[in-house]
Amino acid sequence: MDLQSLANLFATTYNPDPNVQKTGELQIRKIGAQDGMLTALLQIIASDGVELATRQACSVYLKNRVHTSYILPPNPRPDHVPIAQSDRTALKANILPLLAASPSRSITVQLAATLKDLVAHDFPERWSTLLDDVKRLLGSGDVREVGAGVVAALECVRAFRFRQKADILPGIITTLFPTLVTIADGMLNTSPSQPASQEIPAMLHLILKTYKTAIIVNLSLHQQSPESLVPWGRLLFRIVEMTVPAEGVPSDEEDRERCEWWKAKKWAYGILGRLFHRFGNPSQLPSPMQNEYGVFANHFVTTFAPEIFKVYLHQVELYVSGQAWLGKKCQYQIFQFFTECIKPKSTWILLKPHVDSLVANFAFPQLTFNASKQTMWETDPVEYVRASVDEYENFSSPVSGATSFLLSLASNRTKTSFLSMLQFINTVLRSSPSPAQRFGALTMTAVLGPFIVRHPEVKGSIEQFMVQYVLPEFTAQEPYLRSVACEVLGVVTKAGITWSSEENLNDHSRAVAVALDDCELPVRVQAALAITELVVVHDSVRDAVSPQVGKVVQDLLKLSDETDLDILNHSMEAMVDRFQNELLPVASQLTARLCESYLRLAREGLAQQNELAPENLDVDSLVSDGEDDKVYGAMGVAKTIGTVVSCIDSSPEILSQVQEVIIPIIRFTLENKLIDLFDNMYDLVDALTFRLHAISPNMWPVFELTYDLFKSDAVDFLDEMLPSLDNFVSYGTDVLKARPDYRQKVLDMYRTALTSPQLGDNDKINGCKLAESMLLNLHGHVDDQLQDIIAIAAEHIDKGETASFRLANLEILINAVLYNASAALHFMEAYKPGLSRVFFDRWFAAINSDNKLPRVHDKKLSILALCKLLEMEAGAIPEGLRDGWPGIVGGALNIFKTLPQAVAKRKVLEDQLVEGDDDDDEDETRYLNLEGEEDEDVWDEDSAYLEILAKEGARLREKSEKAETGDDESDISEESEIEEELGFFSLLDTINPYITFKQALQTFQNQNAPLYQAATTMLTVERQTMLMEVVAMAQSQAGLS
């Protein structure tokens, strides 16, 4: 096909006629794998004579083809054809010149993504000239070539940005970064107001983005050296301090925030913050990073951090005094840096004299009610609620930055800062403040509420503060003050305020109840959150709400539907849990209403999911959007439905009705393959089937859907599916016994779990659990599947990377023996002569080991299977195993020896789990730092958490490196990592191993007297004693039963 015809074909892909579009796409798919196809596309993209939209369509196809087929996955689909070598050569020869000649940003984005994949797969071995080519572009006198070089440098770094091993990226950095910093420095000498300079901030932004991308995981030795750090540091300071003339940026603040000059500033702030936070803060540097970055960190904190602090403080002074504008994301970065300065002694000494000023003039104004908040309240109250409730999670909001700064001061420098912040709040509230300032002061109170309620010098006065400053705001004319009053009450209630006066508590709870009917939605939301906290903590409020709980729940449902806020789902869960008895009669109606909400959110999420995303989207710039909100909202509603289910399990009749209401949303989710919601749906299936101990007829289609999904789109969801599947087998035995096709589906899932190349050992373990459930629950009805089960397990007897899987697989064969001992041994020999001997060797190696049957279930299963062997008739014992048969008794006694310790250990874990559920007391030291010297380094919970993460990361890297060199010895201690599964139940739990063993021993003596004689006489004195103890235990427990 000639170039013109190919261009015409790609032009059909954006034809308004869907039939023409579809025909064109099918034709492209048909010829897409031909040699020379990509070379031809490169020529079309480069041709100025072809329509721009066609060139863009070609660039999109090129990017997708390279991404999916440049390197094929280990198990490619049949329609996956690798890219021909001639096309690969053409791609590498032409991609950089194409970038330099790109006619539009949208095509540049596609070509850049293509370049990243080429670099990731071929550099350096198969593309040794790449860096020289990029350097040539960067050194060009043509601004478009320099721009292409900057884009190429960024993609070279992005290709290896998450690579833990420092083998490729440091070379790229050493080669390109000195040139990049020189270019960026030169750009700053061009006036921002010159028309020719409009491309400069875009390139500057990309250069800084390249540097920031390079320090995501590691800081190379080159970047740590003064030769790199000094020029880059100088550049970053120049950008931060640069004054952008008004004529160089848009007048609208939101547009200005998005313009290239302010993007460059944002990245400069971000780099300085990253360097300090991750690599340059010695007191907070995790121990695994000390060797690599300890020297750099000590140098940075003494040399660079004070300069950063001085520059940032100056920028804040200019902003506060109205002499300079500061973008919101830059404000956030400044707050983040100041927050990082609080814990290290060296930077705290710099910050300490300025804390009061920063709190009053920089942090507090972020919390006041301003014009933008007023506009949002009036035009989009739902968005206002979402922004205010989730503000702390907004990682670019100065409100979030200010909040983090205040929290860190309160928790880490309590003795210096906390009381002065409270004094500031009181000063504001006593000085006839404007409503907007009152809002700020009360918002600050809400931020510090958990600390106020716990501080020994302050907690006694919080009640008076509430009465004096918070209670009057419930009737304020300004609705935002009514809203923040509810918020403060909710916070201090959750934190544990002690009311000395029941009347004061009643006044506040009545005020919140009134606020539930407020005409303003944000007020109603905060009132709902506050009333929830009051009901949970105070029985008197619970009793007062009880007669009206139906209305309160309806209000919550209505608010949830209006806002789709996940936090309201938490309120609903708390209400359902607190008013179980009151809501029991209306559980079905409540569940139906929740299911309606869930379906609405799920359908909206599905509709957004099915919309085609624009092809020119830069994936790295994607942020959470509306679709995620819908999905998260649906998750929250599903959790609330789960709470309803857990609260009514005392009434099976109502639970059965509720189940029939819930099943349609489960089916809708599975049928429409809403994968993000599968976890929640299988939680519901598990809860319903487990609590009812039965499978209703309408639930079986869910089983069928689960099988179909596992065999297609959701093969990696076995972990989520397993509890439900186990319930289908355990509580649906009558149906499974009557439906061989269902039994075949379970077997096929087991086979797929063990043989699919997509699944790892954890999924294989889950497959084994499913097969075990079949063998235990369908005794006498798996005869047709037994041989296949044994063959699958036998195939994997010495395979698998983990001890957990090897044990799970071995236990399938042990289960087969328990199911039908003679048939199991026969099928083993039929699969491979001598296999039964191999099986017994592996089994008894585990039995005779100290820790290879670590759990109670492992021990009971082996004991009961050994009992089945003892009960075999003499003629049925395979000749090759007869000599070792007497050892069965000794093996069982070995397990009995360690069984009591395993049972006791499990009991301790169960007790700890119950105590853990009951122990809601929070560690007070999380909140207040009242110990030790005030100005020393602070090592808090967050620091300890980062230390744990760093150590785990170092361990995994070491393990990965050893695996690469074949030196992995991680298996040695793995058996000790196989832990009790407290949520796992099986039929074996009800069987007494002592009584069963005594009966089997009696049968063994009656049927095989010579072997019994041999078995008992070969026992050591210790084991003979053990045998008498086991028999005595059996007799005493039989008497109890």
Side-chain angles (χ1 to χ4, degrees):
M1 186 179 286
D2 63 89
L3 290 183
Q4 188 58 53
S5 300
L6 188 59
N8 292 340
L9 180 58
F10 271 87
T12 65
T13 61
Y14 56 89
N15 191 292
D17 185 339
N19 294 321
V20 173
Q21 203 178 101
K22 188 70 177 173
T23 304
E25 289 170 355
L26 290 172
Q27 181 65 17
I28 290 169
R29 197 173 296 169
K30 196 178 296 182
I31 64 170
Q34 291 180 6
D35 286 9
M37 172 73 168
L38 299 189
T39 305
L41 290 180
L42 291 168
Q43 294 172 357
I44 294 171
I45 295 167
S47 173
D48 289 333
V50 178
E51 201 174 290
L52 189 61
T54 302
R55 295 161 75 184
Q56 183 173 333
C58 291
S59 68
V60 169
Y61 177 86
L62 179 74
K63 176 200 71 175
N64 292 337
R65 178 89 170 100
V66 168
H67 186 68
T68 57
S69 303
Y70 201 78
I71 294 292
L72 290 184
N75 299 281
R77 298 199 312 264
D79 60 340
H80 250 148
V81 180
I83 293 171
Q85 187 56 49
S86 60
D87 282 332
R88 292 166 183 262
T89 304
L91 277 164
K92 287 183 282 189
N94 290 284
I95 191 76
L96 292 177
L98 264 184
L99 268 173
S102 172
S104 72
R105 183 179 181 279
S106 56
I107 289 178
T108 299
V109 167
Q110 306 301 327
L111 294 175
T114 305
L115 173 62
K116 187 183 76 159
D117 283 331
L118 298 178
V119 173
H121 295 311
D122 279 0
F123 182 79
E125 292 87 356
R126 292 176 293 280
W127 199 356
S128 57
T129 62
L130 172 65
L131 296 185
D132 291 336
D133 294 340
V134 175
K135 276 194 80 172
R136 182 185 57 76
L137 289 173
L138 291 172
S140 169
D142 182 341
V143 69
R144 294 184 70 185
E145 289 198 343
V146 175
V150 169
V151 170
L154 173 59
E155 297 308 323
C156 288
V157 170
R158 287 174 69 186
F160 304 104
R161 61 188 149 166
F162 297 123
R163 191 177 176 91
Q164 295 283 349
K165 203 171 181 183
D167 53 350
I168 299 176
L169 192 54
I172 295 172
I173 291 167
T174 304
T175 304
L176 300 181
F177 276 36
T179 307
L180 289 174
V181 74
T182 302
I183 291 170
D185 223 27
M187 287 176 180
L188 289 183
N189 296 325
T190 307
S191 170
S193 58
Q194 292 177 13
S197 70
Q198 293 312 300
E199 292 176 354
I200 287 175
M203 280 195 274
L204 191 60
H205 158 211
L206 290 179
I207 288 172
L208 296 180
K209 189 174 183 179
T210 303
Y211 192 98
K212 177 86 182 293
T213 304
I215 59 175
I216 287 175
V217 176
N218 297 310
L219 188 69
S220 69
L221 288 174
H222 172 74
Q223 288 167 302
Q224 294 180 47
S225 70
E227 293 75 22
S228 172
L229 190 62
V230 171
W232 278 100
R234 191 185 300 120
L235 171 71
L236 295 168
F237 287 144
R238 283 187 70 188
I239 294 171
V240 166
E241 294 181 298
M242 176 181 63
T243 302
V244 183
E247 61 268 25
V249 294
S251 56
D252 180 79
E253 289 195 1
E254 289 191 11
D255 291 339
R256 194 184 311 170
E257 191 91 47
R258 289 190 291 267
C259 82
E260 293 293 341
W261 282 114
W262 277 96
K263 280 185 180 178
K265 277 181 167 282
K266 179 198 76 173
W267 283 96
Y269 279 107
I271 291 167
L272 290 169
R274 180 71 175 172
L275 285 171
F276 181 56
H277 167 68
R278 181 161 173 80
F279 307 106
N281 187 347
S283 79
Q284 304 298 308
L285 196 67
S287 56
M289 297 173 68
Q290 289 286 352
N291 285 342
E292 199 170 352
Y293 302 115
V295 173
F296 171 82
N298 284 311
H299 171 68
F300 192 92
V301 81
T302 54
T303 308
F304 267 82
E307 285 302 308
I308 299 173
F309 180 80
K310 188 162 66 177
V311 168
Y312 280 18
L313 195 63
H314 182 58
Q315 293 303 305
V316 169
E317 288 167 354
L318 291 174
Y319 171 70
V320 167
S321 63
Q323 298 176 62
W325 185 80
L326 201 54
K328 288 182 179 179
K329 291 180 179 178
C330 296
Q331 291 181 51
Y332 174 79
Q333 294 287 354
I334 292 173
F335 273 121
Q336 284 296 97
F337 178 77
F338 286 160
T339 302
E340 291 290 339
C341 288
I342 291 170
K343 288 193 281 189
K345 176 182 178 180
S346 56
T347 49
W348 169 242
I349 290 169
L350 299 173
L351 178 66
K352 185 178 177 181
H354 304 280
V355 165
D356 289 347
S357 172
L358 287 170
V359 168
N361 301 316
F362 191 38
F364 175 69
Q366 308 291 348
L367 306 182
T368 59
F369 200 80
N370 53 31
S372 62
K373 290 177 183 176
Q374 181 71 46
T375 301
M376 192 186 295
W377 181 296
E378 292 171 355
T379 58
D380 193 349
V382 171
E383 188 55 37
Y384 175 87
V385 170
R386 185 174 287 111
S388 60
V389 169
D390 295 334
E391 189 81 60
Y392 189 50
E393 300 301 322
N394 184 344
F395 298 119
S396 61
S397 157
V399 177
S400 169
T403 302
S404 298
F405 180 60
L406 296 175
L407 289 171
S408 187
L409 284 172
S411 61
N412 295 302
R413 300 296 177 183
T414 310
K415 287 192 280 189
T416 298
S417 306
F418 184 62
L419 293 178
S420 64
M421 286 193 287
L422 297 191
Q423 183 60 45
F424 171 77
I425 292 172
N426 279 303
T427 301
V428 170
L429 291 173
R430 288 171 183 161
S431 59
S432 302
S434 67
Q437 288 181 311
R438 273 152 52 203
F439 177 89
L442 291 180
T443 300
M444 195 166 163
T445 305
V447 169
L448 299 176
F451 304 88
I452 296 171
V453 171
R454 289 171 171 83
H455 196 287
E457 294 178 38
V458 181
K459 61 183 179 181
S461 57
I462 183 65
E463 182 175 357
Q464 180 56 36
F465 178 91
M466 295 294 293
V467 171
Q468 186 173 350
Y469 294 115
V470 178
L471 188 59
E473 303 296 9
F474 280 99
T475 54
Q477 183 180 347
E478 295 79 12
Y480 56 83
L481 286 173
R482 302 198 295 272
S483 172
V484 77
C486 293
E487 182 182 358
V488 173
L489 178 58
V491 167
V492 298
T493 301
K494 186 176 183 179
I497 181 175
T498 302
W499 297 92
S500 60
S501 163
E502 189 72 20
E503 184 181 348
N504 286 339
L505 170 60
N506 292 338
D507 288 345
H508 283 79
S509 61
R510 280 194 292 268
V512 171
V514 171
L516 278 173
D517 294 320
D518 199 282
C519 58
E520 299 282 349
L521 182 136
V523 180
R524 296 199 300 275
V525 170
Q526 290 294 352
L529 300 178
I531 198 75
T532 303
E533 299 299 344
L534 287 164
V535 159
V536 168
V537 174
H538 299 290
D539 287 339
S540 62
V541 180
R542 182 207 173 283
D543 294 341
V545 171
S546 181
Q548 297 294 315
V549 69
K551 175 191 176 299
V552 174
V553 167
Q554 288 300 322
D555 289 343
L556 276 173
L557 285 167
K558 187 168 182 291
L559 281 172
S560 186
D561 280 343
E562 286 178 287
T563 62
D564 293 339
L565 272 176
D566 187 45
I567 195 165
L568 288 172
N569 292 317
H570 295 309
S571 286
M572 178 67 76
E573 288 177 55
M575 284 291 183
V576 169
D577 186 55
R578 198 77 167 100
F579 294 101
Q580 292 183 23
N581 295 332
E582 289 87 346
L583 293 173
L584 193 59
V586 295
S588 294
Q589 296 94 307
L590 174 59
T591 306
R593 184 80 171 71
L594 289 166
C595 287
E596 285 174 21
S597 296
Y598 175 87
L599 276 178
R600 177 183 60 79
L601 290 163
R603 286 194 176 105
E604 289 173 8
L606 182 63
Q608 289 172 322
Q609 181 181 300
N610 291 336
E611 289 176 7
L612 290 175
E615 287 289 359
N616 64 345
L617 210 58
D618 178 359
V619 175
D620 275 359
S621 69
L622 285 176
V623 293
S624 181
D625 56 16
E627 177 192 331
D628 289 328
D629 286 340
K630 302 300 179 188
V631 171
Y632 287 134
M635 287 178 183
V637 176
K639 283 181 66 181
T640 307
I641 295 170
T643 303
V644 174
V645 169
S646 65
C647 289
I648 57 174
D649 62 349
S650 59
S651 177
E653 185 181 341
I654 295 176
L655 187 56
S656 295
Q657 295 169 10
V658 165
Q659 175 177 251
E660 298 308 310
V661 175
I662 295 172
I663 287 174
I665 70 166
I666 296 170
R667 292 187 59 176
F668 175 86
T669 306
L670 302 184
E671 286 165 357
N672 288 281
K673 299 178 181 178
L674 290 166
I675 284 179
D676 289 336
L677 297 167
F678 278 9
D679 195 3
N680 302 86
M681 292 301 100
Y682 283 113
D683 280 346
L684 287 174
V685 176
D686 176 33
L688 290 165
T689 51
F690 180 74
R691 292 173 191 283
L692 287 168
H693 282 214
I695 311 295
S696 79
N698 288 330
M699 189 63 88
W700 283 107
V702 173
F703 169 78
E704 295 173 8
L705 277 167
T706 299
Y707 171 75
D708 293 339
L709 285 165
F710 178 71
K711 294 295 288 181
S712 55
D713 301 74
V715 68
D716 51 352
F717 271 79
L718 187 56
D719 202 43
E720 289 79 6
M721 295 172 171
L722 179 70
S724 301
L725 289 168
D726 182 46
N727 292 346
F728 277 113
V729 176
S730 301
Y731 307 126
T733 50
D734 291 342
V735 172
L736 280 164
K737 288 173 183 177
R739 293 286 298 266
D741 58 323
Y742 279 7
R743 298 199 300 275
Q744 200 60 39
K745 287 182 193 296
V746 178
L747 173 64
D748 190 37
M749 293 178 81
Y750 165 56
R751 179 187 288 109
T752 303
L754 264 72
T755 58
S756 171
Q758 290 176 255
L759 302 180
D761 273 14
N762 189 55
D763 292 298
K764 290 180 170 68
I765 292 168
N766 287 330
C768 292
K769 289 177 180 176
L770 191 55
E772 178 176 75
S773 186
M774 273 184 82
L775 291 167
L776 289 176
N777 289 287
L778 301 175
H779 198 269
H781 292 83
V782 194
D783 295 352
D784 293 343
Q785 285 84 31
L786 186 62
Q787 186 167 7
D788 286 338
I789 291 172
I790 288 172
I792 295 165
E795 175 64 26
H796 293 82
I797 194 163
D798 285 323
K799 295 181 181 177
E801 297 177 4
T802 62
S804 300
F805 168 64
R806 290 192 291 275
L807 175 59
N809 187 61
L810 178 67
E811 288 188 342
I812 292 300
L813 296 175
I814 298 171
N815 269 287
V817 170
L818 179 61
Y819 178 87
N820 186 328
S822 58
L825 297 176
H826 169 73
F827 287 141
M828 286 182 204
E829 289 302 308
Y831 175 80
K832 184 179 180 182
L835 177 64
S836 58
R837 187 58 184 259
V838 173
F839 160 64
F840 269 90
D841 288 344
R842 302 291 182 277
W843 189 11
F844 271 79
I847 287 172
N848 294 322
S849 164
D850 288 337
N851 60 354
K852 288 194 174 180
L853 297 175
R855 297 165 299 195
V856 174
H857 178 79
D858 304 325
K859 297 179 188 298
K860 287 183 74 171
L861 174 64
S862 279
I863 289 170
L864 298 176
L866 290 172
C867 289
K868 288 293 182 185
L869 293 174
L870 291 178
E871 291 171 347
M872 284 177 64
E873 295 180 0
I877 299 172
E879 195 58 43
L881 300 174
R882 185 175 289 272
D883 290 348
W885 217 252
I888 292 174
V889 174
L893 293 173
N894 257 8
I895 304 172
F896 273 117
K897 183 179 177 182
T898 57
L899 180 60
Q901 294 97 303
V903 171
K905 182 181 176 183
R906 181 183 173 95
K907 180 71 168 64
V908 168
L909 290 172
E910 288 171 342
D911 291 344
Q912 287 175 349
L913 185 66
V914 172
E915 288 168 12
D917 288 343
D918 292 340
D919 185 15
D920 291 329
D921 292 338
E922 293 183 274
D923 182 5
E924 297 296 309
T925 59
R926 290 186 51 212
Y927 288 93
L928 302 168
N929 179 16
L930 296 169
E931 306 296 327
E933 292 296 322
E934 174 59 22
D935 291 338
E936 292 303 309
D937 288 325
V938 174
W939 183 264
D940 65 358
E941 196 176 62
D942 292 337
S943 312
Y945 179 63
L946 290 174
E947 173 78 7
I948 291 168
L949 288 181
K951 284 182 175 177
E952 179 63 10
R955 186 187 72 80
L956 292 173
R957 279 195 298 278
E958 184 182 359
K959 184 177 179 180
S960 175
E961 287 165 10
K962 283 185 176 179
E964 283 180 19
T965 58
D967 191 29
D968 187 11
E969 300 176 1
S970 60
D971 229 29
I972 296 171
S973 63
E974 247 187 41
E975 286 83 0
S976 62
E977 295 176 12
I978 303 175
E979 296 179 350
E980 283 286 352
E981 296 172 298
L982 301 182
F984 178 71
F985 303 95
S986 84
L987 286 180
L988 301 189
D989 296 339
T990 60
I991 301 174
N992 187 306
Y994 293 93
I995 295 172
T996 306
F997 178 71
K998 179 177 178 293
Q999 291 168 347
L1001 203 61
Q1002 189 65 53
T1003 305
F1004 185 38
Q1005 183 178 12
N1006 295 339
Q1007 291 184 170
N1008 296 299
L1011 287 177
Y1012 173 83
Q1013 183 69 24
T1016 50
T1017 53
M1018 68 186 288
L1019 295 175
T1020 63
V1021 174
E1022 182 186 0
R1023 283 188 177 173
Q1024 286 177 353
T1025 305
M1026 188 75 217
L1027 178 60
M1028 288 188 286
E1029 289 175 359
V1030 169
V1031 171
M1033 181 74 78
Q1035 288 169 338
S1036 66
Q1037 292 184 358
L1040 289 173
S1041 62

